Amino acid sequence: MAVDYTVIVVYLVGMLAMGWWGMRRAKSKSEFLVAGRRLGPAMYSGTMAAIVLGGASTIGGVGLGYKYGLSGAWMVFTIGLGLLALSVFFSARIARLKVYTVSEMLDLRYGGRAGLISGVVMWAYTLMLAVTSTIAYATIFDVLFDMNRTLAIVLGGSIVVAYSTLGGMWSITLTDMVQFVVKTIGVLLLLLPIAVVKAGGFSEMKAKLPTSYFDPLGIGGETIFTYVLIYTFGMLIGQDIWQRVFTARDDRTAKWGGTVAGTYCLVYAVAGAVIGTAAKVLYPKLSSPDDAFATIVKDELPIGVRGLVLAAALAAVMSTSSGALIACATVANNDIWSRLRGLVRADASTGEEHDEVKGNRVFILIMGLAVIGTAIALNNVVEALTVAYNLLVGGLLVPILGGLLWKRGTVQGALASVIVGGLAVTGLMAGYGILANEPVYYGLLASLAAYIAVSLATKPTDERVLAVWRDRLAGRSPELPSEPVPAHQ
């Protein structure tokens, strides 16, 4: 496998080199956190597709195809639907806000300090998302080098932390573009056709597998509904996704570039399910569906191609991991640490650009070490990812979408929604089990009820706050007031 090893090593060295190059460009907070808000359509589409299609979408997507057939595409398909919905309906308005975090948006909309509590929830989500991606390194490096799990996590995590810390969003953007190209070539153009051919074509696959493998709804209606609730809506409100929207240079780029990326996700979803279905024909008795990707790559692909496809899997994991890491660090620094210290961030309130690269770089390093340590301690990726999305959707979906769509929502309603939804989801996970569907169902309903009831019971948001909000949404005002206007006086 010397050729395959060479391909992987060249890829990893290239990631570090781009981190060094990005360091030379990231001279201000805007450059470091949102790539100067100037990505064009091609780079925006590629990086957005790269971050949403991680290890769960690649290795997990193939695993679902192995277990359920073509209907295994639904998990990744709902991710693509969420990205399409975000791009078409919300991305232009989000980009015009010129903020750095979801919590800053909540403060701007409600005119009060809703940001600290929402920041804690968002931080927990991004941390768990980064942890799950980091755990996936163990699977890939085990296939590549038969490496110890802890060493694999440290190696993969260290590379991501290094290039993310050096160049911030510029480094991550550059590496994501390479990762997007590698994934496209490795998974769509190489692994997909080779897997189908090795399995004897679609006619042979249909002859050897149950008809349920070719039923588009075979995975079950309740499962599909849960995927929509968690992943489609999760795409609308995640800091990791919004931070990429903030990198778009204009409304058109955010809308149409995101639409292209969402469409790409739909294609990727079907490809993963087909590859998994082919693997079921070739290896009908694997001990775990998640072994399907590594097994078919290791046994069926020629030398060199195998290395490229494994690099594609590594690319998928690294793109999500780096995006979640910078989102986690941004929330920790901007929404939690600064607020706890009682600071009023001049750049968040007046639009002024201060060079805060060093502080954000330190936070990425600290959060990166925390992610690596947590990944070593945890084993169950699915449970960690479920906790992350349940907290995100149950705690933040209602106040965020409510702020964008309902004028009557108030800061008190938003705070009640975050607290009630977050506590309900946590309690229900303890009662029903982490992997149960009920926690997110009932938690979301509790969050919605609290938001509506408390908003209607409190005074409407001050009209001056809403005026500033409308101006920002319309792109008419580049500035925020020096102090958030109280929700009512």
Side-chain angles (χ1 to χ4, degrees), residues 210-380:
T211 55
S212 63
Y213 267 70
F214 301 91
D215 179 0
L217 304 178
I219 199 170
E222 184 179 356
T223 299
I224 295 171
F225 178 73
T226 303
Y227 284 159
V228 170
L229 201 59
I230 293 177
Y231 296 114
T232 301
F233 285 112
M235 285 295 106
L236 298 179
I237 58 175
Q239 169 68 25
D240 52 325
I241 309 302
W242 277 40
Q243 200 155 344
R244 294 309 172 94
V245 175
F246 300 152
T247 65
R249 72 184 179 198
D250 52 39
D251 296 356
R252 184 177 178 84
T253 297
K255 182 175 182 178
W256 295 110
T259 300
V260 170
T263 304
Y264 178 90
C265 292
L266 303 183
V267 175
Y268 200 88
V270 175
V274 171
I275 292 168
T277 304
K280 183 67 174 179
V281 173
L282 295 168
Y283 312 99
K285 296 183 179 180
L286 290 178
S287 58
S288 169
D290 286 342
D291 292 337
F293 180 89
T295 302
I296 197 170
V297 169
K298 195 172 184 179
D299 294 349
E300 302 298 335
L301 299 186
I303 294 173
V305 173
R306 180 172 50 199
L308 183 60
V309 173
L310 286 172
L314 195 58
V317 174
M318 293 181 110
S319 57
T320 299
S321 181
S322 59
L325 176 59
I326 193 171
C328 180
T330 302
V331 170
N333 189 11
N334 286 261
D335 296 334
I336 300 176
W337 177 243
S338 293
R339 294 171 193 268
L340 290 176
R341 292 177 61 191
L343 297 180
V344 177
R345 303 180 65 81
D347 54 326
S349 10
T350 66
E352 296 174 14
E353 288 295 342
H354 295 287
D355 186 358
E356 298 183 359
V357 173
K358 183 178 180 180
N360 284 290
R361 191 171 276 145
V362 169
F363 266 88
I364 290 181
L365 180 60
I366 294 172
M367 291 299 109
L369 294 175
V371 165
I372 292 172
T374 307
I376 292 172
L378 292 180
N379 286 312
N380 197 314

Side-chain angles (χ1 to χ4, degrees), residues 474-489:
R476 291 192 295 265
S477 174
E479 297 186 353
L480 287 166
S482 58
E483 289 282 355
V485 181
H488 57 274
Q489 291 183 343

Side-chain angles (χ1 to χ4, degrees), residues 45-46 108 112 218 296 313 368 394 467:
S45 297
L108 179 63
I296 197 170

Side-chain angles (χ1 to χ4, degrees), residues 42-330:
M43 292 193 75
Y44 180 84
S45 297
T47 58
M48 184 63 88
I51 188 176
V52 300
L53 296 174
S57 300
T58 303
I59 299 171
V62 171
L64 287 171
Y66 183 88
K67 187 174 182 179
Y68 297 106
L70 297 186
S71 66
W74 273 106
M75 184 187 78
V76 183
F77 203 84
T78 55
I79 290 174
L81 291 177
L83 184 52
L84 283 172
L86 174 70
S87 301
V88 173
F89 298 113
F90 299 109
S91 63
R93 287 188 285 173
I94 292 170
R96 286 196 294 265
L97 292 175
K98 302 297 183 186
V99 295
Y100 291 100
T101 69
V102 173
S103 295
E104 288 179 12
M105 166 264 172
L106 291 174
D107 278 348
L108 179 63
R109 162 60 182 83
Y110 293 109
R113 293 298 181 185
L116 179 59
I117 295 175
S118 63
V120 171
V121 175
M122 188 64 77
W123 174 80
Y125 157 72
T126 53
L127 180 71
M128 285 295 101
L129 186 62
V131 166
T132 57
S133 301
T134 304
I135 291 174
Y137 296 132
T139 301
I140 299 170
F141 281 109
D142 179 56
V143 174
L144 289 172
F145 307 117
D146 192 26
M147 187 179 290
N148 172 270
R149 177 183 182 275
T150 299
L151 183 59
I153 289 173
V154 171
L155 176 60
S158 297
I159 293 172
V160 169
V161 171
Y163 73 69
S164 300
T165 302
L166 286 173
M169 187 59 81
W170 268 122
S171 292
I172 293 171
T173 296
L174 294 171
T175 54
D176 277 359
M177 278 305 298
V178 174
Q179 289 157 355
F180 171 74
V181 172
V182 170
K183 279 192 287 192
T184 301
I185 296 173
V187 175
L188 297 184
L189 301 184
L190 292 176
L191 181 58
L192 175 61
I194 290 174
V196 172
V197 170
K198 291 284 187 178
F202 284 102
S203 58
E204 188 71 14
M205 290 161 64
K206 287 184 177 180
K208 290 186 176 181
L209 294 174
T211 55
S212 63
Y213 267 70
F214 301 91
D215 179 0
L217 304 178
I219 199 170
E222 184 179 356
T223 299
I224 295 171
F225 178 73
T226 303
Y227 284 159
V228 170
L229 201 59
I230 293 177
Y231 296 114
T232 301
F233 285 112
M235 285 295 106
L236 298 179
I237 58 175
Q239 169 68 25
D240 52 325
I241 309 302
W242 277 40
Q243 200 155 344
R244 294 309 172 94
V245 175
F246 300 152
T247 65
R249 72 184 179 198
D250 52 39
D251 296 356
R252 184 177 178 84
T253 297
K255 182 175 182 178
W256 295 110
T259 300
V260 170
T263 304
Y264 178 90
C265 292
L266 303 183
V267 175
Y268 200 88
V270 175
V274 171
I275 292 168
T277 304
K280 183 67 174 179
V281 173
L282 295 168
Y283 312 99
K285 296 183 179 180
L286 290 178
S287 58
S288 169
D290 286 342
D291 292 337
F293 180 89
T295 302
I296 197 170
V297 169
K298 195 172 184 179
D299 294 349
E300 302 298 335
L301 299 186
I303 294 173
V305 173
R306 180 172 50 199
L308 183 60
V309 173
L310 286 172
L314 195 58
V317 174
M318 293 181 110
S319 57
T320 299
S321 181
S322 59
L325 176 59
I326 193 171
C328 180
T330 302

